Amino acid sequence: MKNRREFLIKSALGVGGLALAPSWLQGAPAIIKSFNKPNSLINGVQVGCITYSFRSMPDQSAEATLKYVVDSGLSAIELMGDPAESFAGKPVNNVNMRDLNPLRNKQRKGEELTAEEKAKLADLNAQIESYSKEVAEWRSKVGTAPFEKMRKMYKDAGVSIYAFKPSAFGRNASDEEIAYGMTAAKALGATHVTLEHPSNDEHTLRLGKLGDKYNMSVGYHGHEQETFTFWDTALAQSKSNGLNLDAGHYIAAGNTDLIPLIEKQHNRILSMHTKDRTTPANGKGNLPWGTGDTPIPELLKLIAKNKYKFPATIELEYKIPEGSDAVKEVQRCVEFCEKALT
């Protein structure tokens, strides 16, 4: 959607430059500076996306990710760890994850592994352990300068980073590695970090205390284990602990009290993943927006009406139609939000 002011700017510059521009444009460098930059703050609701949405795109660099975001019309994001850390010089992972993950999944399900598979799994696990130590060593030395540089690159393009999700907050991570993740997040301009809820009270307590220490909020994400009281223990442990609510998964879990949850916890919701899933009775599908059971328009209007501060984070998880790509589908999600809010 192009607003009238953007249209006038383009018309004025196209016809005769600033000399023929309207009086409100002449001598207004702030307007020129923001010209042609994305703006996904819609009727007071900050619509963003998690960059995981672009996982199917061919280039996962920080520069390519920024282009995907801008082309989608978004001005704010939850940033996955890989684009930022690769930009900062993180060691390359040479472990064959396509071989490792199926073996781990098979073991996790309790399925019997052959002797050959056991040997291969042991070797790959050893490689991962070695790589993890290499990454931890890198994280201890990298500093904040590369992340500050990336923040500026994104800001210059009109994109702010409100959340950061590196793989630095697991139960086996040292306090130093967790501190790195929080410090990097602050250098990127994020207000909070996000991670999958560890389902471990000791760990949420530790993360909350470290969040207090480094002045960084911690948003816990859930899948179909989400319930109305899912986050209660973590919230009670620290003021730094909060929700990285997933509205779609909440619906797919069979819950019927999503709006009451948001009304109760809005001050502790740091960001909300937004996707259209169906209820268990309808198959728990992950569908194009407007065809599932997640009340996305109602949620967006609730945020706008009550002036809630947390962003609505697009997470593209439905199957991309043939002939389309992730950027085009995220664009469609942004348009859906525009229609719901204007």
Side-chain angles (χ1 to χ4, degrees):
M1 284 180 142
K2 296 183 178 73
N3 63 39
R4 182 172 178 274
R5 178 160 292 200
E6 288 175 334
F7 174 77
L8 288 173
I9 291 173
K10 291 180 180 179
S11 298
L13 294 180
V15 172
L18 284 176
L20 299 179
S23 60
W24 53 261
L25 179 56
Q26 296 181 32
I31 294 176
I32 296 299
K33 190 174 181 181
S34 64
F35 174 59
N36 244 2
K37 291 182 180 179
N39 182 7
S40 56
L41 181 65
I42 308 168
N43 195 19
V45 178
Q46 181 61 73
V47 175
C49 83
I50 181 169
T51 56
Y52 171 77
S53 300
F54 304 114
R55 63 196 176 279
S56 62
M57 299 299 287
D59 187 344
Q60 295 296 305
S61 67
E63 294 84 355
T65 298
L66 176 57
K67 186 175 188 307
Y68 304 150
V69 172
V70 172
D71 287 349
S72 298
L74 290 160
S75 57
I77 56 170
E78 176 184 351
L79 179 66
M80 294 295 289
D82 284 347
E85 292 190 306
S86 62
F87 181 84
K90 179 182 175 181
V92 176
N93 181 8
N94 292 314
V95 181
N96 191 334
M97 302 304 291
R98 291 184 179 180
D99 285 346
L100 176 60
N101 290 330
L103 292 173
R104 283 185 169 178
N105 289 336
K106 191 173 180 179
Q107 184 182 57
R108 194 176 295 117
K109 293 175 182 178
E111 299 177 14
E112 186 67 27
L113 298 178
T114 65
E116 183 180 353
E117 287 175 329
K118 287 178 181 178
K120 188 173 185 179
L121 179 60
D123 178 59
L124 290 170
N125 280 335
Q127 291 180 45
I128 280 291
E129 184 177 354
S130 175
Y131 175 68
S132 296
K133 290 178 180 178
E134 184 182 4
V135 170
E137 177 68 14
W138 172 80
R139 285 171 170 168
S140 72
K141 297 177 180 178
V142 64
T144 60
F147 300 104
E148 291 166 353
K149 182 179 179 181
M150 183 172 170
R151 174 186 184 177
K152 183 179 185 304
M153 178 174 72
Y154 275 52
K155 183 179 179 181
D156 288 347
V159 177
S160 64
I161 300 165
Y162 56 78
F164 185 43
K165 190 174 186 176
S167 59
F169 307 119
R171 289 168 61 180
N172 294 326
S174 65
D175 284 2
E176 290 74 21
E177 202 162 3
I178 293 169
Y180 148 83
M182 293 182 175
T183 303
K186 187 170 291 186
L188 288 165
T191 63
H192 60 285
V193 298
T194 58
L195 71 150
E196 302 304 313
H197 195 298
S199 299
N200 181 281
D201 294 345
E202 289 183 8
H203 193 50
T204 55
L205 177 61
R206 178 163 75 116
L207 289 169
K209 287 182 176 179
L210 288 168
D212 293 342
K213 180 177 179 180
Y214 293 99
N215 193 29
M216 179 57 59
S217 296
V218 184
Y220 297 97
H221 182 257
H223 288 256
E224 290 177 30
Q225 80 273 43
E226 291 179 333
T227 65
F228 197 85
T229 59
F230 176 64
W231 294 270
D232 283 3
T233 299
L235 296 181
Q237 289 172 333
S238 168
K239 62 179 177 59
S240 295
N241 284 338
L243 287 71
N244 176 224
L245 172 65
D246 192 302
H249 292 327
Y250 200 84
I251 293 298
N255 299 300
T256 58
D257 51 5
L258 177 56
I259 288 179
L261 172 68
I262 292 172
E263 290 174 334
K264 178 184 179 182
Q265 301 290 11
H266 65 91
N267 284 327
R268 304 297 295 274
I269 297 174
L270 302 172
S271 50
M272 180 184 74
H273 282 198
T274 310
K275 59 173 70 80
D276 206 348
R277 292 198 64 183
T278 55
T279 63
N282 291 328
K284 298 186 178 183
N286 213 318
L287 304 178
W289 287 26
T291 63
D293 295 321
T294 309
I296 297 176
E298 290 86 347
L299 298 179
L300 295 172
K301 290 172 183 176
L302 180 71
I303 297 170
K305 177 184 176 182
N306 294 300
K307 294 181 169 50
Y308 294 153
K309 301 302 182 184
F310 60 86
T313 305
I314 295 167
E315 184 173 24
L316 183 66
E317 288 203 310
Y318 63 80
K319 184 178 179 181
I320 296 173
E322 187 175 348
S324 187
D325 61 29
V327 173
K328 292 176 183 176
E329 294 310 309
V330 172
Q331 286 174 345
R332 290 190 175 99
C333 295
V334 174
E335 291 168 2
F336 187 98
C337 295
E338 290 176 333
K339 290 176 182 176
L341 287 165
T342 57

